[in-house]
Amino acid sequence: MNKILITGHQNPDTDTITSAISFSYLQNTLGKNTEAVALGTPNEETQFALDYFKIHAPRVISSASDETNEIILVDHNEFQQSVSDIEELTILAVIDHHRIANFHTSFPLYYRAEPVGCTQTIILKIYKENSIEIPPAIAGLMLSGIISDTLLFKSPTCTQDDINAAYELAKIAGIEVEKYGLDLLKAGTNLSNKSAEELISLDAKSFEVNGKKIRVAQVNTIDYDDVFLKKNSIETAISNQINQEGYDLFLLVVTNVLDSDSKILAKGNASQTAEKAFGVQLDNGEAFLKGVVSRKKQIIPQITEALS
Amino acid sequence: MNKILITGHQNPDTDTITSAISFSYLQNTLGKNTEAVALGTPNEETQFALDYFKIHAPRVISSASDETNEIILVDHNEFQQSVSDIEELTILAVIDHHRIANFHTSFPLYYRAEPVGCTQTIILKIYKENSIEIPPAIAGLMLSGIISDTLLFKSPTCTQDDINAAYELAKIAGIEVEKYGLDLLKAGTNLSNKSAEELISLDAKSFEVNGKKIRVAQVNTIDYDDVFLKKNSIETAISNQINQEGYDLFLLVVTNVLDSDSKILAKGNASQTAEKAFGVQLDNGEAFLKGVVSRKKQIIPQITEALS
């Protein structure tokens, strides 16, 4: 029997990489033969967490059917965010906290989604249901996923379940949440060595709504100028991607993790959708979105609505 | 705030009706304001269970947006099997044990699916996770759902989880599983007072595969002749439905609950799909399928495959 691969989404973030690792550890402890893989290399925030807890980054793949026919998805379900040959594989399980779309199977499966801030919060519940002990390093990675996805509990996606899970995991990992959390978030805001192309691809997801191709990239910062002083080259990089991939709307969301606000840059022939979605006026493609930090809860549903 | 409605699928069977009831009781105990409803009246098997445990049948609806904007789906997820205005509602949760298809949401939700034989097996787990006591009558209905969906543990969809759940629920309900189980299944095989139209609509589900409209009706019996002696009028009823609804394939699956085999009747311009799907030769539209009892595991995936 081949190994079951466990993967998060493309352009992996901390939750997606660490969820593959923690769910693989859980499944292997239950007697399954699984391997955590990733659809890209860790970003600097994720690498900070992996280094801190001395865990290797998962092997990077882009397709899976040459080595297995069984896969488990964590932190995503939409096929366009997954391995390129997802339609050829049997999806055994999904653990996720996103909307469900562009997803289907021929067979019944294990699907566990909850409207919480982080996949790890759900995985912790499954650990408990199966009475499996969590090693401190795994607990540290799980905590990192929660801090990252909830911006240290400040995102509107954060629930009491996430906060409880984080403090429970911190105890197992022997970590002081606030101090470690700020260090982790700051590690992900170092954009100085990133090219414009890298910057708009770091954490970007594609969606299709009513036949429109949407790309939403998000970067965290502690100073908007780190991004907007490079606006010209970023606009060129975005235009190139629009031409290559046929996006109708490319939205770059620059989130200040200290203030919990965002500035957006909208490009593409459907860029006025952003004005409708957020009730703002674009100024040279830019707008300030007060209190907006969550792509999942404050960006995607509003764009979906504006296009429906 | 409006009531949250909880519903199973169209052409309700015992699992779908009783799951709406047991999940509504669970949610209300947790402080939610929910009502179990149904997309049709109970069949004779379900009515037997409701009478036995002295629980009223849920109110019948076909659409929901005139009275609520929030719904919970049990025992199904495919939109064409749900309320007619499902696209206008917010789906708060899904508890199911089927494949996922023709399903999507704009927002994250609670989705709990497991590849087990019955929705009630999953609902029992959620009762336990929330430490909620199950009243004997509710336990009896949950047991009835498991017996019905697994054909008293004989279906290939039945898992050890279902068997364990059934005996645990039987203890709470004070029921002897085998005796009650046979009585329940037999109550569902009384086809003598059914018209051909009723017979092909009792437990029928629609699917779309590669643009083809498929309808699969299933009836339980203890004697194939109860159905096939009426073949002429059944064929007329099927042809009428094909003409009205534009089905490419209408499959009637007649399952002998004592022998655990089935005889099928295939009609429609794609009826040869059944030959390919099951590796059989149709004789006047009929074929015997040895050991086949599960639409979900032994019919739908094979037809999906044959049409792909």
Side-chain angles (χ1 to χ4, degrees):
Chain A
M1 201 193 67
N2 284 318
K3 221 176 240 187
I4 300 162
L5 296 184
I6 302 184
T7 186
H9 54 72
Q10 294 171 16
N11 298 307
D13 58 10
T14 301
D15 184 25
T16 230
I17 297 240
T18 61
S19 289
I21 293 171
S22 64
F23 199 64
S24 176
Y25 180 87
L26 168 67
Q27 289 298 313
N28 292 349
T29 307
L30 288 172
K32 297 276 166 55
N33 179 23
T34 76
E35 180 190 355
V37 293
L39 305 186
T41 53
N43 63 32
E44 290 183 40
E45 180 195 278
T46 310
Q47 194 59 54
F48 176 89
L50 291 168
D51 291 344
Y52 196 98
F53 295 104
K54 299 188 175 56
I55 302 258
H56 286 294
R59 179 165 64 92
V60 175
I61 64 166
S62 60
S63 62
S65 59
D66 52 343
E67 54 174 318
T68 188
N69 49 12
E70 294 182 322
I71 198 160
I72 291 173
L73 309 183
V74 291
D75 194 34
H76 75 298
N77 67 82
E78 303 194 36
F79 283 0
Q80 78 280 5
Q81 298 168 3
S82 198
V83 287
S84 59
D85 52 357
I86 185 73
E87 296 263 16
E88 295 167 44
L89 302 165
T90 298
I91 304 167
L92 294 181
V94 177
I95 318 294
D96 192 21
H97 65 131
H98 295 88
R99 70 166 194 176
I100 300 177
N102 305 313
F103 178 86
H104 59 89
T105 64
S106 297
F107 290 91
L109 75 163
Y110 183 95
Y111 199 111
R112 182 78 171 256
E114 297 187 25
V116 292
C118 179
T119 309
Q120 296 286 19
T121 302
I122 306 165
I123 293 177
L124 174 60
K125 293 186 188 187
I126 306 176
Y127 266 93
K128 288 177 167 184
E129 288 161 19
N130 288 282
S131 305
I132 289 173
E133 204 176 318
I134 309 176
I138 299 281
L141 290 185
M142 293 171 75
L143 169 65
S144 305
I146 298 176
I147 290 166
S148 170
D149 259 25
T150 66
L151 291 179
L152 202 39
F153 316 132
K154 281 192 197 141
S155 168
T157 60
C158 186
T159 67
Q160 193 59 44
D161 278 7
D162 297 297
I163 298 170
N164 295 347
Y167 283 95
E168 193 172 336
L169 290 163
K171 206 171 161 188
I172 299 171
I175 291 291
E176 207 273 287
V177 174
E178 276 69 23
K179 188 191 169 318
Y180 172 77
L182 271 182
D183 289 346
L184 176 72
L185 290 181
K186 279 185 190 159
T189 63
N190 177 16
L191 304 172
S192 58
N193 59 349
K194 296 278 183 297
S195 71
E197 287 74 18
E198 287 171 324
L199 208 141
I200 64 165
S201 306
L202 266 179
D203 177 13
K205 290 185 183 176
S206 299
F207 302 87
E208 254 193 66
V209 183
N210 269 352
K212 301 276 184 199
K213 285 184 78 173
I214 315 294
R215 181 83 163 172
V216 182
Q218 186 167 25
V219 294
N220 289 346
T221 186
I222 47 178
D223 182 354
Y224 292 124
D225 279 350
D226 284 356
V227 176
F228 284 91
L229 286 178
K230 301 182 193 172
K231 188 179 172 188
N232 280 348
S233 56
I234 288 174
E235 286 190 315
T236 306
I238 290 177
S239 293
N240 288 342
Q241 283 212 5
I242 286 174
N243 292 335
Q244 277 164 37
E245 305 292 337
Y247 299 126
D248 296 283
L249 170 63
F250 192 114
L251 200 66
L252 174 64
V253 181
V254 184
T255 299
N256 188 316
V257 294
L258 298 184
D259 301 344
S260 304
D261 299 315
S262 294
K263 266 179 84 172
I264 58 169
L265 179 60
K267 304 285 287 181
N269 57 42
S271 63
Q272 74 288 358
T273 301
E275 300 195 330
K276 192 176 165 201
F278 308 115
V280 294
Q281 202 77 34
L282 289 174
D283 179 10
N284 283 317
E286 294 177 37
F288 179 73
L289 302 186
K290 177 81 189 152
V292 168
V293 298
S294 166
R295 174 166 50 194
K296 189 169 66 170
K297 208 150 183 169
Q298 299 172 300
I299 304 274
I300 303 302
Q302 288 73 8
I303 289 178
T304 303
E305 185 71 19
L307 285 170
S308 293
Chain B
M1 201 192 67
N2 283 318
K3 223 177 239 186
I4 300 163
L5 296 183
I6 303 185
T7 186
H9 54 72
Q10 294 171 15
N11 297 307
D13 58 9
T14 302
D15 184 24
T16 231
I17 296 240
T18 62
S19 288
I21 294 171
S22 64
F23 199 63
S24 176
Y25 180 87
L26 168 66
Q27 290 298 313
N28 291 349
T29 307
L30 288 171
K32 297 275 166 58
N33 179 21
T34 76
E35 179 190 355
V37 292
L39 306 186
T41 52
N43 63 32
E44 291 185 36
E45 182 195 276
T46 310
Q47 194 59 55
F48 177 90
L50 291 168
D51 290 344
Y52 196 100
F53 295 105
K54 299 187 177 58
I55 303 258
H56 286 295
R59 178 166 65 94
V60 174
I61 64 165
S62 60
S63 62
S65 59
D66 52 343
E67 54 174 318
T68 186
N69 49 10
E70 294 182 322
I71 197 160
I72 292 174
L73 309 183
V74 293
D75 194 35
H76 74 297
N77 66 83
E78 302 193 36
F79 283 179
Q80 78 280 6
Q81 298 167 3
S82 200
V83 286
S84 59
D85 52 357
I86 184 74
E87 297 263 16
E88 294 167 46
L89 303 164
T90 298
I91 304 168
L92 294 181
V94 177
I95 318 293
D96 192 20
H97 65 130
H98 295 89
R99 71 168 194 176
I100 299 175
N102 305 314
F103 178 87
H104 59 89
T105 64
S106 297
F107 288 91
L109 74 164
Y110 184 94
Y111 199 110
R112 183 78 171 259
E114 297 189 27
V116 292
C118 179
T119 309
Q120 296 285 20
T121 302
I122 306 166
I123 293 177
L124 174 59
K125 292 186 190 189
I126 305 175
Y127 266 94
K128 287 176 168 185
E129 288 161 18
N130 289 283
S131 304
I132 289 173
E133 204 176 319
I134 310 175
I138 299 282
L141 290 185
M142 293 172 76
L143 168 65
S144 304
I146 298 177
I147 291 166
S148 170
D149 259 25
T150 66
L151 290 178
L152 202 40
F153 316 132
K154 282 193 195 138
S155 168
T157 58
C158 186
T159 67
Q160 193 59 46
D161 278 7
D162 297 298
I163 298 170
N164 295 349
Y167 283 95
E168 193 172 335
L169 291 162
K171 207 171 159 188
I172 299 169
I175 290 292
E176 206 274 287
V177 174
E178 277 69 23
K179 188 187 169 320
Y180 173 76
L182 272 181
D183 288 346
L184 177 71
L185 290 181
K186 279 186 191 160
T189 63
N190 176 18
L191 305 173
S192 56
N193 59 347
K194 296 277 182 296
S195 70
E197 287 74 18
E198 286 172 326
L199 208 143
I200 64 166
S201 306
L202 265 179
D203 176 12
K205 289 185 184 175
S206 299
F207 302 89
E208 255 194 65
V209 182
N210 269 352
K212 301 275 186 201
K213 283 184 81 173
I214 315 292
R215 181 82 163 173
V216 182
Q218 187 168 26
V219 293
N220 290 345
T221 186
I222 48 177
D223 183 354
Y224 292 124
D225 279 350
D226 284 356
V227 176
F228 283 92
L229 286 179
K230 301 181 193 170
K231 188 179 171 188
N232 279 349
S233 57
I234 288 173
E235 286 190 315
T236 306
I238 290 177
S239 294
N240 288 342
Q241 284 213 2
I242 287 174
N243 291 338
Q244 276 164 36
E245 305 291 337
Y247 299 126
D248 296 283
L249 169 64
F250 193 113
L251 200 66
L252 174 65
V253 181
V254 183
T255 299
N256 187 316
V257 294
L258 299 183
D259 301 345
S260 301
D261 300 315
S262 293
K263 266 178 85 171
I264 58 168
L265 178 61
K267 303 286 287 180
N269 58 41
S271 63
Q272 73 288 357
T273 302
E275 299 195 330
K276 192 176 165 201
F278 307 115
V280 293
Q281 203 76 37
L282 290 174
D283 179 11
N284 282 318
E286 293 178 36
F288 179 73
L289 302 186
K290 176 83 189 149
V292 168
V293 298
S294 166
R295 173 167 49 195
K296 189 169 65 173
K297 208 150 184 170
Q298 297 173 299
I299 304 273
I300 303 302
Q302 287 72 9
I303 289 177
T304 302
E305 185 72 18
L307 285 171
S308 294

